[in-house]
Amino acid sequence: MTAPASASLARTLAPAYALLLVYACLHPLAGWRDSGLPLFDYLWAPWPKYFIVEDFLFNILGYLPLGFLLAAALPARWHAASRAASATLIAALLSLGLETTQNFLPTRIASNLDLGGNIAGALIGALAGVRWGGAVFAPHGRLQRWRTHTLIGGCTGETGMVLLGLWLLGQFTASNLLFTSGDLRSLLGIPAPLPFSAERFIAFDTALTASSLLAVGLFTRCLTRGPNPLPVLLVLALGVGAKTLATWSFFDPGTPFAWLTPGARHGLVIGLALLLPCLLLSRLAQHALAGTSLLVATALVNLIPENPYLPYERQLAGFSNFLNFHGLTRLVDSLWPFFALAYLSALGLWRGEHLGGNASRHKRRL
């Protein structure tokens, strides 16, 4: 007897989440060198002179979902203690490998305290996964019932859900505006092609927010079943919440809505006014509009002038894990539209062939 088929979602999410952890822990993936120190000396290092509570909590929280997903993905016939121990061990080995690899990065420091926090987070997540993983990922569990009722079937629906999760992760990037993604200019260090002026920036910001909202809204609509607009509105609301939390964390905590610029306000109104009637169109038309909106938004985010008055990237030099997390979200945010476009193209092609095949069979019957 093997793990139930419903655990396939957990088996899909666990390695994907592990890859995100690898990137976050080894960011910026540059400047590799041999320090000349024994690789595992950090394991016996004394308690650090300067202890940052936020970093330690971040290490715990970062590995908690991995422990949960690993425990849920392991065979159900295993004893609960075996699943919890195995999930914790796998996560611990991953953390040990990453911490040891950090010896070769000049911007990173291998730490036994970080390793301990990671293992503690994985253990907490594994215990929770043993206890509640079955209810979440079981064939008739809450997540599976919601997924069957709300999303299109098969790996297509699961891939789309993962892409939406990555989009939400990208919204935690502190160096861009509401709903924006695909900023290759900042990722590659290319200067802004247009000089800043208030009028130009507001116009770009308005068009960028509207096109991004329309793209994400229609992308979500392409994944869902039935005419219910609530999943679309929920994803947009979660995106606003993620951007607000990022603004509060990385900017001034007293101004969590600094992202709500005049252009963002206008763009939200225009984008919603465009999105609502588009939800009534055919699925193939929604595919086309989603892809077009993604292309427009990606072009605009790479053309928009730099705004010197937005207080981006509050000083976080003392919080290394926050900076590593920001590097991860920035990469995800920059690359997301291109994966989304590939996904929409494949999904639209499949649906077009499916509808075309049905039409041909119907004509043959006549």
Side-chain angles (χ1 to χ4, degrees):
M1 180 178 178
T2 58
S6 60
S8 62
L9 180 57
R11 291 195 295 267
T12 300
L13 293 176
Y17 188 81
L19 285 176
L20 294 179
L21 287 177
V22 169
Y23 180 84
C25 291
L26 300 182
H27 175 78
L29 299 173
W32 298 89
R33 56 152 178 77
D34 186 0
S35 65
L37 299 174
L39 283 182
F40 298 101
D41 264 14
Y42 71 94
L43 292 175
W44 296 273
W47 189 266
K49 183 178 180 181
Y50 301 103
F51 174 68
I52 301 174
V53 176
E54 289 85 352
D55 265 3
F56 185 69
L57 292 176
F58 206 86
N59 280 301
I60 294 175
L61 295 176
Y63 271 72
L64 195 152
L66 180 62
F68 185 93
L69 291 170
L70 288 172
L74 290 172
R77 63 182 177 83
W78 289 13
H79 191 273
S82 298
R83 282 191 288 153
S86 299
T88 305
L89 178 61
I90 294 171
L93 291 175
L94 175 65
S95 177
L96 176 65
L98 292 176
E99 289 294 327
T100 304
T101 305
Q102 287 178 2
N103 282 307
F104 299 96
L105 287 170
T107 57
R108 305 304 307 274
I109 299 176
S111 168
N112 53 7
L113 191 61
D114 290 353
L115 177 62
N118 294 340
I119 295 174
L123 176 60
I124 296 171
L127 293 174
V130 169
R131 176 64 180 84
W132 293 291
V136 172
F137 293 104
H140 302 292
R142 298 183 186 91
L143 182 60
Q144 290 298 124
R145 289 200 305 269
W146 172 84
R147 185 222 179 286
T148 302
H149 182 264
T150 306
L151 299 180
I152 58 178
C155 294
T156 305
E158 293 178 1
T159 303
M161 188 166 62
V162 170
L163 283 173
L164 276 182
L166 290 175
W167 176 79
L168 287 173
L169 177 65
Q171 296 311 299
F172 284 99
T173 303
S175 58
N176 58 9
L177 303 175
L178 180 65
F179 293 163
T180 59
S181 58
D183 186 4
L184 296 178
R185 189 183 75 198
S186 297
L187 185 67
L188 300 176
I190 301 173
L194 298 173
F196 174 82
S197 71
E199 295 80 7
R200 180 183 288 126
F201 184 85
I202 291 174
F204 267 91
D205 192 12
T206 300
L208 178 56
T209 303
S211 57
S212 298
L213 185 151
L214 183 61
V216 174
L218 289 177
F219 182 91
T220 306
R221 184 68 186 91
C222 290
L223 306 181
T224 57
R225 300 176 183 271
N228 188 359
L230 289 181
V232 175
L233 299 178
L234 176 61
V235 168
L236 295 176
L238 289 174
V240 169
K243 182 57 65 179
T244 301
L245 180 59
T247 305
W248 178 83
S249 301
F250 298 114
F251 302 166
D252 183 356
T255 57
F257 296 101
W259 57 265
L260 193 58
T261 58
R265 288 197 297 270
H266 299 155
L268 283 173
V269 174
I270 295 172
L272 284 173
L274 293 173
L275 175 63
L276 293 177
C278 287
L279 296 179
L280 304 176
L281 298 175
S282 68
R283 287 304 178 98
L284 291 180
Q286 289 170 350
H287 280 293
L289 286 174
T292 302
S293 301
L294 269 175
L295 289 173
V296 171
T298 304
L300 289 173
V301 76
N302 287 284
L303 293 173
I304 189 171
E306 296 285 355
N307 186 350
Y309 301 105
L310 288 180
Y312 284 147
E313 295 188 38
R314 192 179 62 169
Q315 185 57 249
L316 291 171
F319 302 94
S320 60
N321 284 314
F322 286 158
L323 292 175
N324 299 330
F325 177 74
H326 183 238
L328 171 64
T329 59
R330 184 181 179 187
L331 178 70
V332 171
D333 189 62
S334 298
L335 299 181
W336 185 83
F338 306 100
F339 289 106
L341 280 169
Y343 175 82
L344 282 173
S345 299
L347 185 60
L349 180 63
W350 177 84
R351 277 182 167 153
E353 291 178 346
H354 179 69
L355 291 175
N358 285 343
S360 299
R361 286 193 294 270
H362 180 66
K363 288 179 181 178
R364 285 197 297 269
R365 292 192 196 101
L366 294 177

